[in-house]
Amino acid sequence: AEEMARALQDHAAAEEYRRVYESGRVKLDQICWNGEYYIQIYDPATYQKYQLGDGCLSDQMLGQWMAHVTGLGYMLPEDRVKSAIHAVYKNNFRPTLTDHYNPQRIFALGDEAGLLLCSWPRGNRPPLPFVYSDEVWTGIEYQVAAHLIYEGFVNEGLTLVRAVRNRYDGQRRNPWNEVECGHHYARAMASWSVFLALTGFNYSGPQKMIAFNPRINEREFTCFWSCDGCWGLYTQQMRSRDLNAEIHALFGKTSLQKFSLPAPSGGRKKGYIEAEINAGANNYSVAAQRANTLAIVTLPEAVNLESGQTIQLRLRV
């Protein structure tokens, strides 16, 4: 909300959103962190049913997942975010549900694998926890899978995806209808974020920025991308001292000025990355900024990318 307000020059609203954000994240981190993941603090005398308390909730990092999807970075301390989302996988994923008791709705069962909505690895399970705690929902599984990939736990994330797809393999269940609360339930659209996490794709219209940061097959990588008014293919070849990338438009048009790509790791000049960009008749040679493992390239002016055109980028250290 703050970023949208700033893009619209509504500075008063932006500052208020920033105040609420800063206050909320500090209190959440101070009050609810138990050393491994975030828990719920409540008064059992007032709320006697349907709470989770000390439980490890699978979507406890829902806001942080969305922040990664939208390119906003970390909302909470990075080390605690990584600990919390890995705790969800460690505590809530079941390679088999043969011995799992679920008195509610059955969306996964028997020898199937799945991610429970909540568990109580440290005990203190409420006598009447929140109703759906023992169920398995694909929408939560996809969200957790994507977040695991964003945090570098790629194998764990893909394990969750395989669990879902094995349950909806066309023999056990309909692969086009991942049932949760009802048929064709919308939360399963979180699966799109798995693709975003694996490709590292992000786009900002106000900044005229496009980003890629593949988590798999980094040396030889190709993926689909889509943004406001345009879609196409991205390819990259990564070597120790250089990165060759192409952003090819297959439909529509967009305007780009800023690029975020994986930074080559080698070279003698620490932190220095030279970028060469070819965009139609325009050629640029600029210094890229290094941001951790990424290289940020900003052109002196925006360039247009239309159907059939390609922007070529070469980064060298």
Side-chain angles (χ1 to χ4, degrees):
E2 177 195 351
E3 291 295 322
M4 289 190 289
R6 294 196 188 282
L8 295 172
Q9 304 298 310
D10 189 345
H11 302 296
E15 292 305 316
E16 175 62 11
Y17 292 136
R18 166 61 61 167
R19 183 194 67 78
V20 173
Y21 159 67
E22 293 290 357
S23 174
R25 70 170 182 154
V26 169
K27 290 181 179 178
L28 174 65
D29 194 55
Q30 289 178 346
I31 297 173
C32 298
W33 177 249
N34 76 348
E36 184 184 12
Y37 52 87
Y38 292 92
I39 61 175
Q40 179 199 25
I41 306 296
Y42 72 102
D43 181 6
T46 303
Y47 303 98
Q48 298 179 1
K49 297 192 300 183
Y50 312 140
Q51 308 304 311
L52 64 100
D54 291 334
C56 181
L57 184 68
S58 282
D59 61 350
Q60 63 183 270
M61 290 280 98
L62 182 68
Q64 181 60 73
W65 160 75
M66 181 56 70
H68 284 326
V69 169
T70 53
L72 294 176
Y74 283 95
M75 306 289 102
L76 294 164
E78 181 178 352
D79 59 335
R80 293 188 175 186
V81 169
K82 292 182 183 298
S83 174
I85 197 62
H86 194 267
V88 168
Y89 177 82
K90 180 182 70 174
N91 295 314
N92 296 0
F93 178 66
R94 300 290 186 271
T96 174
L97 294 164
T98 303
D99 298 324
H100 174 62
Y101 175 70
N102 174 20
Q104 301 296 331
R105 300 168 300 182
I106 304 297
F107 301 127
L109 75 164
D111 63 350
E112 296 173 331
L115 185 77
L116 306 183
L117 267 64
C118 192
S119 70
W120 284 263
R122 302 187 181 192
N124 298 323
R125 176 182 171 121
L128 290 172
F130 80 98
V131 178
Y132 309 124
S133 56
D134 294 309
E135 294 182 2
V136 172
W137 294 353
T138 61
I140 302 298
E141 289 175 301
Y142 284 134
Q143 170 234 311
V144 172
H147 194 173
L148 284 165
I149 293 168
Y150 275 121
E151 301 300 342
F153 304 115
V154 177
N155 290 335
E156 291 88 337
L158 293 179
T159 296
L160 289 186
V161 175
R162 292 189 192 99
V164 179
R165 300 315 312 151
N166 287 340
R167 297 201 308 267
Y168 290 88
D169 61 356
Q171 294 184 358
R172 298 186 181 214
R173 295 175 184 82
N174 182 351
W176 309 109
N177 181 16
E178 298 174 0
V179 182
E180 260 185 41
C181 183
H183 291 285
H184 305 287
Y185 203 63
R187 186 164 31 225
M189 291 178 71
S191 59
W192 181 252
S193 69
V194 176
F195 176 79
L196 298 178
L198 287 171
T199 63
F201 172 75
N202 195 265
Y203 169 78
S204 170
Q207 297 182 48
K208 300 184 184 300
M209 184 275 297
I210 196 167
F212 298 91
N213 185 24
R215 267 74 174 187
I216 57 173
N217 306 327
E218 296 92 338
R219 290 181 61 84
E220 299 286 340
F221 183 82
T222 300
C223 73
F224 168 82
W225 59 267
S226 65
C227 66
D228 180 25
C230 191
W231 53 265
L233 294 176
Y234 169 78
T235 62
Q236 76 173 39
Q237 294 82 41
M238 171 70 85
R239 301 296 180 262
S240 62
R241 297 191 59 178
D242 61 15
L243 172 81
N244 291 298
E246 290 189 351
I247 303 172
H248 181 62
L250 294 171
F251 177 83
K253 62 181 179 180
T254 188
S255 180
L256 300 172
Q257 188 172 7
K258 190 174 181 180
F259 306 84
S260 176
L261 302 174
S265 58
R268 296 180 179 179
K269 297 181 180 180
K270 185 177 181 181
Y272 182 80
I273 303 174
E274 179 184 358
E276 295 179 359
I277 302 94
N278 178 275
N282 299 313
N283 296 287
Y284 304 91
S285 181
V286 299
Q289 292 182 314
R290 188 184 291 272
N292 296 322
T293 60
L294 299 176
I296 311 299
V297 179
T298 303
L299 300 182
E301 58 188 359
V303 295
N304 292 325
L305 179 64
E306 300 185 11
S307 179
Q309 296 180 340
T310 299
I311 295 178
Q312 299 175 320
L313 302 100
R314 184 182 185 188
L315 307 181
R316 293 181 297 183
V317 293

